Amino acid sequence: MMDSNVISFQTCGFFVVVYFLHAAYGDVSYTFPEEMKRGSVIGNMAKDLGLERSALSNRRARIDSDGTDERYCDINLNNGELIVADRIDREGLCGEKASCILKHELVLENPLELHRISLHIQDINDNSPQFNEEFINIEIRESADKGARFVLEEAHDADVGQNSVQQYSLKKNDHFILSVDGNSIELVLEKELDRENQQEINLLLTALDGGSPQRSGTVVIHVTVLDANDNAQCLARPSIKPVCLKTLL
């Protein structure tokens, strides 16, 4: 007895067997934010696919994942709602990709029927900008000219789009301002340094994202002012007027 899903053709003495493994129907797509609580409703599949709710239980409806053991959603057989079954962390699943889509399938039996499900995961602002180090150490000679620039390392944010790093700010101080051009961040000397007055300077750099609520991260820039030997050194000699010399480096 030949299975109803198998059809045989005889051509030139050869048998060609074609297996119709399943019938695939139209796609259904849902867009929702990451980190929704387990049990949260994504949408109503019975309504969206025009299925009778009673058919879900009678035909043993289930959700299968596509190419992975992880199943991030499930179906409520009583009302046809698609619900969150496990934590969905967009950064863990898709990293910094602009688009994050999970593929699942709704499976119905007797007869076998498949509906493809595309889950578009939206990023939420759940990460703060971070610098690689807690402190940035810079050594600058006090002879450095006004306008001298010093490159700083940018901050990183696991979120994407508007939720990633959007701007930087430098706490007001007497000597430096900040210059930002795209991903290029530079510390600019606005007022000359004088080691005799101040040997060390601590600056606070803040990175801010564009999310709501806005998140930020900070790093301390520790500037050590190096001596340029710009003060005269006086050599005292007995009974002779001191001679002052200036050593240039």
Side-chain angles (χ1 to χ4, degrees):
M1 183 78 179
M2 183 164 288
D3 188 277
S4 60
N5 287 333
V6 179
I7 300 178
S8 297
F9 299 93
Q10 184 174 6
T11 305
C12 299
F14 293 96
F15 285 94
V16 179
V17 181
V18 180
Y19 289 86
F20 292 93
L21 298 179
H22 62 262
Y25 292 79
D27 294 348
V28 61
S29 176
Y30 297 99
T31 300
F32 58 97
E34 64 174 327
E35 301 292 358
M36 289 179 67
K37 294 181 179 179
R38 289 178 175 85
S40 298
V41 177
I42 299 171
N44 192 302
M45 294 204 67
K47 178 181 178 181
D48 296 336
L49 294 172
L51 300 172
E52 294 291 336
R53 295 181 182 179
S54 59
L56 299 176
S57 295
N58 296 337
R59 298 178 63 184
R60 299 180 182 179
R62 68 179 186 274
I63 301 296
D64 283 349
S65 57
D66 186 6
T68 174
D69 293 333
E70 292 292 338
R71 185 165 52 88
Y72 293 98
C73 61
D74 206 346
I75 188 169
N76 185 327
L77 297 180
N78 295 322
N79 55 26
E81 289 179 340
L82 186 68
I83 59 176
V84 176
D86 200 357
R87 176 175 179 260
I88 300 177
D89 175 21
R90 188 190 187 283
E91 290 75 39
L93 291 170
C94 301
E96 297 183 0
K97 292 181 180 178
S99 177
C100 184
I101 302 175
L102 302 181
K103 298 290 187 179
H104 284 47
E105 287 182 332
L106 171 65
V107 182
L108 299 168
E109 298 180 0
N110 301 320
L112 185 60
E113 180 180 334
L114 301 181
H115 292 275
R116 294 180 290 267
I117 310 169
S118 295
L119 305 177
H120 297 253
I121 313 303
Q122 294 178 319
D123 183 48
I124 65 172
N125 194 29
D126 56 343
N127 292 284
S128 298
Q130 291 185 338
F131 292 91
N132 289 336
E133 305 292 341
E134 294 183 6
F135 295 92
I136 298 176
N137 295 307
I138 299 178
E139 294 182 343
I140 304 176
R141 289 193 178 277
E142 62 179 340
S143 58
D145 295 329
K146 179 179 178 180
R149 292 173 173 262
F150 307 90
V151 177
L152 302 175
E153 187 173 355
E154 63 181 315
H156 300 277
D157 195 323
D159 294 320
V160 298
Q162 193 65 22
N163 292 330
S164 63
V165 178
Q166 298 296 315
Q167 57 180 309
Y168 294 87
S169 66
L170 183 68
K171 187 174 181 180
K172 188 175 181 180
N173 63 93
D174 294 333
H175 293 278
F176 296 93
I177 59 174
L178 197 64
S179 174
V180 181
D181 182 10
N183 293 328
S184 176
I185 312 163
E186 294 178 318
L187 197 62
V188 183
L189 184 62
E190 190 178 41
K191 180 183 177 182
E192 288 83 355
L193 302 170
D194 186 348
R195 188 176 187 278
E196 282 64 40
N197 290 330
Q198 194 172 10
Q199 298 181 6
E200 296 180 342
I201 303 172
N202 286 323
L203 308 170
L204 185 65
L205 176 63
T206 302
L208 302 103
D209 65 23
S212 179
Q214 191 174 53
R215 292 176 178 264
S216 63
T218 60
V219 65
V220 175
I221 304 173
H222 181 78
V223 178
T224 301
V225 183
L226 302 178
D227 189 8
N229 286 341
D230 56 354
N231 289 328
Q233 299 178 0
C234 297
L235 305 178
R237 299 179 182 177
S239 304
I240 302 178
K241 183 179 179 179
V243 177
C244 294
L245 304 175
K246 184 175 182 180
T247 304
L248 298 178
L249 295 182

